[in-house]
Amino acid sequence: MTPTPLTERVEALDYLRGIALLGILIANMLHFHSPYAYMDPYSWYTIPSEQSMFHFIDVFIEASFYPLFAMLFGYGINMQYEKSVKQNTAFGPFMAKRMTVLLLFGVLHAVLIWSGDILVTYALMGFIMIAVVRIPKKWLLALSLLIYFVPSLLLYGLSVLMRSNSGSFMMDGFADTKQIELAISAYGNGTFGEIFAFRLNEFFMFEIIGLLTSGFIILPLIMMGAAFSKWKVIEKMYAHKGKLLVVLFVFLPVGLVLKNVPNWDGPKFENVLLVQSIFGGPVLTVGWAALFLLLFQVPFLKYITKPFATVGRMAFTTYIMQSVIATLIFYSYGAGLYGKVDIVTGTWLAIGIFAAQLIAAQVWLSKFRMGPLEALWRKLSYGKNFDNKEEKV
């Protein structure tokens, strides 16, 4: 197999990746600057400005942009599969090598930079996709929906049943005070060795949970993206404006309603984890994707949002650099602001970091074909060197 030439890239795919990266950074920033994973945010934030910002992120951002990135990951895998079929090359060995390299990058990212890594999960699910991507599109989409929603609906029913019997649920308003203190002590004031040890412990803890759930959450999202790729949803978006409008006006409001349930019915376990995140998140994701694709078809808006497509071309580098920059700002071996920044400041910092990345991507890709990590990933995947310098016209 050979790399995809720049002229054959689907610009709207890069554009969606760029937007997803912004949403992911805003959501991840909560974890970068505070022990968010161990607190109950519905009771933690008491200042009105912080409550408003949390509500905005909780409804519009959280759990609605990582599904988009996962779907785009699946979209890309299917594009590579169809390319291998067209070129009559071996898809399995190549993709296995590519996912092995991604897995290595993910482990290094998790243990040396940030424990909230998602690349390990993507790589492991990517190995499964080597076989799954061959399923016909209708069956692939149906299977993905089955895998995603059936276990979640069963868990929701079990949670409701337990609540009806006891009047409460043990995970309601869960907060781990000890872990909050340990996280602040390590990341905010610890040595690099202490940070490494705490981060390694978090990685194993999160990875075990991730492995138990990713097969029912991340894998079906990747499968959905692969199915959409088989239908050429993005490539044919100009011919399907009407369908995109219908999707927009159905999925966006339904998604927002589901995402608001914890604010109306209380932050119960099943409302927060299941109704809001598992059900509402992907529904809103599809609504957002339809909106963004429609906006991309407006010439003026396509022009002014071109930087998102540029940063999306180097999504791998952008994602890793977000972790590097954020940890240097918040961890003790950098500016040491962990636990000292409120959610409003943290969100604006995320936007500022991404704005800088938009500029950096423009500068870098004016001289090179792809980001530095993309070039390294490609070299290791194909086993040969490629010229990364941009051709001058």
Side-chain angles (χ1 to χ4, degrees):
M1 294 186 69
T2 57
T4 301
L6 184 59
T7 53
E8 294 181 15
R9 292 189 70 92
V10 180
E11 190 177 19
L13 193 63
D14 291 326
Y15 157 77
L16 288 177
R17 283 197 188 101
I19 292 175
L21 284 167
L22 173 58
I24 287 170
L25 178 57
I26 292 174
N28 284 348
M29 186 57 71
L30 298 171
H31 300 270
F32 282 130
H33 68 67
S34 64
Y36 185 79
Y38 308 113
M39 65 174 70
D40 172 24
Y42 291 92
S43 60
W44 184 273
Y45 301 112
T46 56
I47 301 173
S49 60
E50 289 196 311
Q51 289 177 333
S52 298
M53 182 60 76
F54 168 69
H55 178 71
F56 171 79
I57 296 173
D58 194 39
V59 172
F60 294 97
I61 307 294
E62 184 73 37
S64 292
F65 283 87
Y66 85 78
L68 176 58
F69 207 71
M71 290 178 189
L72 294 174
F73 184 68
Y75 206 103
I77 288 177
N78 180 71
M79 290 176 69
Q80 290 183 317
Y81 168 68
E82 292 183 348
K83 179 182 175 182
S84 73
V85 171
K86 183 179 179 180
Q87 296 180 347
N88 194 29
T89 54
F91 172 75
F94 166 75
M95 188 55 59
K97 188 175 182 180
R98 190 168 174 80
M99 290 301 107
T100 299
V101 175
L102 184 64
L103 179 62
L104 176 61
F105 275 119
V107 171
L108 292 175
H109 175 232
V111 301
L112 297 178
I113 303 173
W114 185 53
S115 60
D117 170 80
I118 193 63
L119 300 180
V120 169
T121 299
Y122 277 17
L124 293 175
M125 297 304 103
F127 284 113
I128 299 175
M129 286 299 298
I130 294 174
V132 173
V133 74
R134 305 167 194 272
I135 299 175
K137 55 191 175 185
K138 291 184 179 180
W139 286 103
L140 184 58
L141 180 60
L143 184 61
S144 69
L145 294 173
L146 188 70
I147 294 173
Y148 190 89
F149 284 106
V150 170
S152 299
L153 286 169
L154 290 174
L155 180 58
Y156 178 79
L158 179 63
S159 302
V160 172
L161 180 62
M162 292 178 66
R163 185 177 299 282
S164 64
N165 291 332
S166 63
S168 62
F169 195 77
M170 61 181 180
M171 295 298 292
D172 287 348
F174 173 78
D176 192 332
T177 306
K178 182 180 179 181
Q179 281 297 107
I180 290 174
E181 294 174 351
L182 290 174
I184 293 175
S185 176
Y187 293 135
N189 306 299
T191 64
F192 184 85
E194 290 170 336
I195 290 174
F196 175 80
F198 190 81
R199 181 170 52 219
L200 191 63
N201 179 67
E202 278 194 326
F203 169 63
F204 283 120
M205 179 176 63
F206 294 152
E207 191 60 34
I208 290 173
I209 296 173
L211 287 175
L212 292 174
T213 60
S214 58
F216 302 101
I217 298 176
I218 302 299
L219 177 60
L221 291 173
I222 295 173
M223 291 167 62
M224 289 179 205
F228 294 150
S229 176
K230 292 178 184 295
W231 266 295
K232 300 292 183 291
V233 171
I234 295 178
E235 292 89 337
K236 297 179 180 180
M237 63 179 179
Y238 292 97
H240 298 299
K241 290 182 181 179
K243 292 180 179 179
L244 287 174
L245 279 171
V246 171
V247 171
L248 170 64
F249 289 120
V250 172
F251 281 77
L252 197 65
V254 172
L256 289 174
V257 168
L258 292 173
K259 292 296 289 292
N260 267 297
V261 166
N263 299 294
W264 299 331
D265 190 43
K268 304 171 185 176
F269 169 79
E270 63 271 22
N271 285 346
V272 174
L273 178 66
L274 299 171
V275 177
Q276 184 187 64
S277 297
I278 302 299
F279 301 145
V283 171
L284 186 58
T285 296
V286 175
W288 282 139
L291 174 62
F292 297 140
L293 288 176
L294 285 168
L295 294 177
F296 190 74
Q297 297 180 45
V298 179
F300 173 70
L301 294 177
K302 180 179 180 180
Y303 175 77
I304 65 174
T305 57
K306 191 174 180 62
F308 284 93
T310 304
V311 82
R313 278 175 55 192
M314 47 189 294
F316 186 16
T317 298
T318 301
Y319 171 73
I320 296 295
M321 286 308 300
Q322 287 175 353
S323 298
V324 171
I325 295 169
T327 51
L328 285 175
I329 292 173
F330 297 111
Y331 289 6
S332 62
Y333 54 72
L337 297 179
Y338 189 85
K340 301 175 184 177
V341 171
D342 60 69
I343 188 174
V344 177
T345 304
T347 302
W348 282 111
L349 266 173
I351 294 172
I353 290 170
F354 190 77
Q357 289 188 307
L358 289 175
I359 297 171
Q362 296 287 328
V363 174
W364 181 271
L365 292 178
S366 67
K367 300 179 179 180
F368 300 97
R369 295 176 183 271
M370 62 185 66
L373 290 183
E374 283 79 5
L376 179 58
W377 190 15
R378 183 172 72 167
K379 176 183 177 180
L380 295 174
S381 297
Y382 289 95
K384 62 179 80 171
N385 290 318
F386 296 94
D387 184 11
N388 191 29
K389 290 187 177 181
E390 184 64 83
E391 292 182 354
K392 302 299 180 182
V393 179

